[in-house]
Amino acid sequence: MDIEYLPSFEMAWGTLGTIRPFLNFHAKRDALNIQAALEQKDVLTLINILTNRSNAQRQIIAQTFKTITEKELSSGLKKALSGELENLLLALLMTPLQFEAYRLRQSMEGIGTDEEGLLEILCTRSPKVLANITATYKEQYNKDLETDLKGETSGDFAKLVLALLKKKKVVGLVQRDTEALSEAINQAKADPGPWITILTTRDSEHLNKVFVNLESEKQETVDEAIEKAFSGDVRLGLKTLVRCVQSPNLYLAQRLETMKAAIVQGVMVSHSEKDLLCVRVAYLRQTGTSLYTALQSLQWTMCCSPG
C-alpha cells in the first residue's frame, strides 16, 4: 500500500510530536466504529479515534472505510458534522502534504490574501518539503503554486515569497553578510534585495551569527532595524522570517496565542507529529499558561494531549 509519509508510522516515537502511532491499531475495527459513530452522530467516538491515530494510520482507516462502505470517509464527516469540528477532522484525514497545499490555497482564496498564513508555511518548511508541497498543490488543484503566488502578491513582497518557495542553502561569510545587510538599510531608501537573498539562502546557525553582529553594530534588535527601514508586506515578511530563524517554536507559539480557529488548527495539525511538544513548551514560557489550558476556553476540540 503506497501511503504518503508512511515512514512516520515507524519513526514517530522518536519525534517531538504529540500524536504517535496507536499501538493496538486495527484499521477494520476503527472503520466499523467510525461507521457506527457517523450513523449515530457520536462525535466523541469520532474525535477519540481520529485524534489518537497517526496520519499514516488515518490514511489506512479511510481506505478501509471506503472498501467496507463504498463511500468516502470525508463525505460521511461532512454530513455528520459542522463548523470547526468538521474542519478539524477533515484536516486530519488529509496527508501532511495535502494539508499544507490546502492551507496555502485557503490563504489565497477569497477577497484579499492572508499574507501571514502564506509566510507561516513558507518560512518554516525546508526546501525539500516545499518542493513536495508544490508538487502536491499541482496534483490537488491542477494549478502551479508559483504562478498563483505571483498572482496574489506584488513588488518586493512577491520577490520574498518566491525566494522562500525556492529557497536553497548557499555558504556565506558572516562578516560579509553582516555588512551587506547593514549597507542595505543605511541607504536613503532601504534596499530589501540583499535581505531577501541572504535570509533565504543561509542556514539558521549562520544567520543567527549575522544577527548578533548586526545588533551589536546597530545597537538595536534586528526586528527594530527592519521596522524602521521597511514598510508594508515586505516588512511583515522579513520580520516573520527573522523570528522563524531565531526561534521557530516561539514564532508558532505566538501564532497560537491568537486563538483563531483556522490558525490554531493549522499549526497543531501540521506539527502534531513533528515538534508540537516544543511549541507547547514555548507557549508556556511565553504566556505562563499551558496550551492545553488555553484551548479549553475554545468551543471546539483540538488534538493536544494534556500537559
Side-chain angles (χ1 to χ4, degrees):
M1 183 178 293
D2 182 18
I3 296 178
E4 189 177 28
Y5 276 35
L6 190 57
S8 68
F9 186 90
E10 300 172 350
M11 297 171 61
W13 285 106
T15 73
L16 292 169
T18 56
I19 293 182
R20 293 166 179 153
F22 189 69
L23 293 181
N24 190 26
F25 178 58
H26 193 296
K28 186 175 181 179
R29 179 179 60 204
D30 282 347
L32 290 172
N33 286 338
I34 287 174
Q35 182 184 21
L38 289 173
E39 292 172 355
Q40 301 165 16
K41 293 192 175 181
D42 180 358
V43 172
L44 291 180
T45 294
L46 295 174
I47 293 172
N48 184 54
I49 294 174
L50 294 176
T51 64
N52 283 287
R53 305 296 185 270
S54 69
N55 188 274
Q57 290 174 330
R58 291 194 294 269
Q59 303 310 312
I60 298 172
I61 292 170
Q63 291 187 24
T64 305
F65 182 91
K66 186 174 182 178
T67 299
I68 293 172
T69 66
E70 298 185 347
K71 296 178 181 179
E72 297 288 346
L73 178 51
S74 58
S75 298
L77 291 175
K78 290 176 182 177
K79 289 182 180 179
L81 305 172
S82 62
E84 300 302 341
L85 180 58
E86 176 190 349
N87 293 338
L88 172 62
L89 296 189
L90 288 174
L92 290 173
L93 286 187
M94 299 181 199
T95 67
L97 293 177
Q98 288 172 343
F99 186 56
E100 299 300 76
Y102 168 78
R103 293 181 68 201
L104 287 171
R105 184 69 178 162
Q106 288 296 108
S107 294
M108 292 184 280
E109 284 192 332
I111 300 175
T113 302
D114 178 7
E115 291 84 4
E116 293 187 14
L118 293 177
L119 289 167
E120 180 199 313
I121 296 173
L122 295 174
C123 290
T124 59
R125 303 301 186 270
S126 69
K128 181 179 179 180
V129 170
L130 287 173
N132 290 335
I133 291 171
T134 299
T136 301
Y137 187 93
K138 179 69 173 179
E139 294 171 5
Q140 208 158 312
Y141 302 108
N142 196 28
K143 289 179 175 288
D144 181 67
L145 178 55
E146 182 177 354
T147 301
D148 282 355
L149 288 171
K150 286 180 181 177
E152 291 293 327
T153 58
S154 61
D156 291 324
F157 183 64
K159 294 176 183 176
L160 173 61
V161 165
L162 295 177
L164 285 167
L165 182 64
K166 295 187 172 184
K167 59 188 172 184
K168 55 185 178 180
K169 297 303 178 222
V170 177
V171 176
L173 298 176
V174 171
Q175 187 56 38
R176 184 175 297 175
D177 284 349
T178 303
E179 292 170 357
L181 295 185
S182 180
E183 289 173 7
I185 57 177
N186 281 342
Q187 303 175 25
K189 182 180 180 181
D191 178 9
W195 282 76
I196 293 172
T197 299
I198 292 171
L199 267 61
T200 60
T201 58
R202 308 293 194 262
D203 63 41
S204 295
E205 182 180 359
H206 174 92
L207 286 174
N208 278 312
K209 292 176 181 178
V210 172
F211 294 160
V212 169
N213 284 359
L214 191 63
E215 289 179 346
S216 177
E217 176 188 322
K218 297 292 184 184
Q219 291 298 297
E220 61 184 357
T221 66
V222 178
D223 186 84
E224 290 170 339
I226 294 172
E227 180 71 26
K228 291 179 181 179
F230 303 107
S231 61
D233 289 338
V234 73
R235 175 169 65 189
L236 170 66
L238 290 173
K239 290 179 69 172
T240 299
L241 185 49
V242 167
R243 289 164 61 195
C244 290
V245 168
Q246 293 177 325
S247 178
N249 295 323
L250 177 58
Y251 163 71
L252 292 170
Q254 290 169 337
R255 288 279 284 166
L256 290 173
E257 274 191 88
T258 65
M259 283 295 142
K260 293 180 179 178
I263 294 175
V264 176
Q265 286 184 13
V267 172
M268 296 189 68
V269 172
S270 291
H271 295 266
S272 60
E273 292 186 51
K274 181 185 176 185
D275 54 6
L276 190 55
L277 286 173
C278 297
V279 178
R280 283 173 46 180
V281 170
Y283 188 93
L284 179 61
R285 290 174 177 170
Q286 171 76 5
T287 67
T289 303
S290 76
L291 181 56
Y292 181 77
T293 299
L295 290 173
Q296 287 181 312
S297 65
L298 299 180
Q299 298 303 308
W300 39 274
T301 305
M302 276 294 178
C303 49
C304 178
S305 56

